[in-house]
């Protein structure tokens, strides 16, 4: 099958450092190529892929040192190139939220749109009502909560290649890990509070976006001056396996409706249990007593810090391999692609595939 994968331009595919959507697109693309599909990836420069690359921007936006850049102009150029070449593909798979809706409304039956972000945002409802023919994929069932009547076609959980994550049987570092982004909704302050209450060291590997700079300086930096707390900063893929694998547990104390939470399955791939707040997609990803614990308050989280030591790490890795590999993700998407192609050729628009 001839498949176009259309990625955001903020990061390379895969990202050098932080980046969720682009990382998922990278793993999906490689798995589809391995399965024998003819894949073209529309993305930024600096992308590394086995697919055919169409780079519509020389550098990813976040790594471009130019002082003034236009996200909108960059993505309009991307969409123009995809539309110009749309006839070359059986399926166009978009990962850029709703930016393409106005430009591809003459061919929605050939598109699949995976929504990677939060949907509890004003103005979204009107857009999805205006363009109801695009088939939408959610990355968790919970993600659909705020747009229950949208044209949901399936839920496909993210997956990662096991080759990129080294299993650690011991977690011998003994620390708690926080990985991702410093922001109010990710609650690094809550992670630090848990570690201090449990008397266990915490290591924080996270980036600080400019929009969150004031929050970091005013709320988080003062908390870093504690003997149990080590702030590492942003790390790339080459350091993740060691950082996550040597941890006693990953702390995921979020305070927002997280659509998926990629770092949870990255930890599982290393055999590391997850202690996560009952929020967003968490109950769909973490299996209590198997891959970690789901908690509702600090007291429960502190108790879980001790309890996770008794979880068999080999079983955590096995659960990842059963549920969250790139192969499993690509196989599910391939099924959806074939459904789209058959429906398009027959002129029949199918309903939800989930």
């Amino acid at each position: 099958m001839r498949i176009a994968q259309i990625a955001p331009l903020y990061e390379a595919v895969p990202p050098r450092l932080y980046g969720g959507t682009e990382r998922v697109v990278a793993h999906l693309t490689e798995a589809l190529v391995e399965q024998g599909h003819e894949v073209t990836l529309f993305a930024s420069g600096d992308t590394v892929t086995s697919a055919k690359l169409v780079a519509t921007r020389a550098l990813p936006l976040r790594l471009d040192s130019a002082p003034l850049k236009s996200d909108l102009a960059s993505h309009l150029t991307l969409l123009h190139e995809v539309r110009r070449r749309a006839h070359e593909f059986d399926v166009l798979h978009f990962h850029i939220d709703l930016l393409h809706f106005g430009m591809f409304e003459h061919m929605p039956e050939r598109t699949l749109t995976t929504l990677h972000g939060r949907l509890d945002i004003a103005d979204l409802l009107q857009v999805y009502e205006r363009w109801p023919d695009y088939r939408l994929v959610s990355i968790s069932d919970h993600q659909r909560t705020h747009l229950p009547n949208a044209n949901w076609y399936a839920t496909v959980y993210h997956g990662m290649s096991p080759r990129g994550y080294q299993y650690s049987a011991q977690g011998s570092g003994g620390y708690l890990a926080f990985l991702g982004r410093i922001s109010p909704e990710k609650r690094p302050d809550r992670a630090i509070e848990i570690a201090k209450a449990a008397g266990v060291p915490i290591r924080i590997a996270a980036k600080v976006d400019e929009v969150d700079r004031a929050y970091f300086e005013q709320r988080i930096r003062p908390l870093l001056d504690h003997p149990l707390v080590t702030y590492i900063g942003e790390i790339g893929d080459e350091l993740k396996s060691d950082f996550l694998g040597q941890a006693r547990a990953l702390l995921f104390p979020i305070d927002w409706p997280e659509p998926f939470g990629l770092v949870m399955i990255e930890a599982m791939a290393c055999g590391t249990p997850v202690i996560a707040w009952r929020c967003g997609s968490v109950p769909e990803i973490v299996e209590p007593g198997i891959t970690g614990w789901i908690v509702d308050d600090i007291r429960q989280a502190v108790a879980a810090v001790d309890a996770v030591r008794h979880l068999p790490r080999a079983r955590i890795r096995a659960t990842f391999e059963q549920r969250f590999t790139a192969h499993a993700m690509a196989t599910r998407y391939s099924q959806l692609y074939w459904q789209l192609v058959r429906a398009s050729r027959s002129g029949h628009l199918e309903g939800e595939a989930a």
Side-chain angles (χ1 to χ4, degrees), residues 318-333:
T319 301
F320 162 80
E321 292 177 347
Q322 293 164 6
R323 299 187 62 201
F324 299 118
T325 64
H327 176 78
M329 173 176 60
T331 298
R332 180 61 175 131
Y333 273 121

Side-chain angles (χ1 to χ4, degrees), residues 232-252:
I232 299 171
E234 189 173 8
I235 62 173
D237 284 351
E238 72 281 359
L239 298 177
K240 276 186 180 179
S241 287
D242 184 67
F243 177 76
L244 290 171
Q246 299 307 313
R248 180 191 296 193
L250 170 77
L251 293 184
F252 195 70

Side-chain angles (χ1 to χ4, degrees), residues 176-178 182 186-205 215-216 219-231 251-253 277 298 301-302 305:
L176 300 171
F178 180 95
I182 300 292
K186 297 288 187 177
R187 293 305 300 266
D189 59 327
R190 185 182 276 169
I192 293 171
E193 183 180 358
I194 293 167
K196 289 166 62 177
V200 176
I202 183 171
R203 298 184 185 179
I204 301 171
Y215 169 75
F216 174 72
R219 296 288 302 277
I220 302 304
R221 187 181 289 281
L223 302 178
L224 303 180
D225 187 20
H226 189 281
L228 288 176
V229 181
T230 301
Y231 177 64
L251 293 184
F252 195 70
W277 231 253
I298 297 293
V302 171
V305 169

Side-chain angles (χ1 to χ4, degrees), residues 232-309:
I232 299 171
E234 189 173 8
I235 62 173
D237 284 351
E238 72 281 359
L239 298 177
K240 276 186 180 179
S241 287
D242 184 67
F243 177 76
L244 290 171
Q246 299 307 313
R248 180 191 296 193
L250 170 77
L251 293 184
F252 195 70
I254 58 170
D255 198 16
W256 72 296
E258 175 78 63
F260 186 83
L262 198 61
V263 68
M264 290 190 287
I265 67 170
E266 291 183 309
M268 293 176 197
C270 299
T272 300
V274 178
I275 300 172
W277 231 253
R278 192 184 310 276
C279 199
S281 66
V282 164
E284 297 176 55
I285 311 303
V286 177
E287 298 178 61
I290 298 175
T291 57
W293 293 104
I294 300 174
V295 301
D296 298 294
D297 54 39
I298 297 293
R299 180 186 59 81
Q300 291 179 5
V302 171
V305 169
D306 181 65
V308 292
R309 295 187 301 165

Side-chain angles (χ1 to χ4, degrees), residues 25-73:
V25 174
H27 285 259
L28 173 59
T29 297
E30 295 305 304
L32 289 171
V33 171
E34 290 177 5
Q35 292 179 0
H37 296 288
E38 182 181 333
V39 185
T40 299
L41 174 60
F42 292 82
S44 70
D46 271 10
T47 286
V48 178
T49 181
S50 298
K52 181 178 180 180
L53 175 63
V54 178
T56 61
R57 196 180 198 283
L59 290 172
L61 286 159
R62 190 161 78 93
L63 299 182
D64 190 337
S65 60
L68 298 175
K69 302 176 285 289
S70 173
D71 298 3
L72 179 58

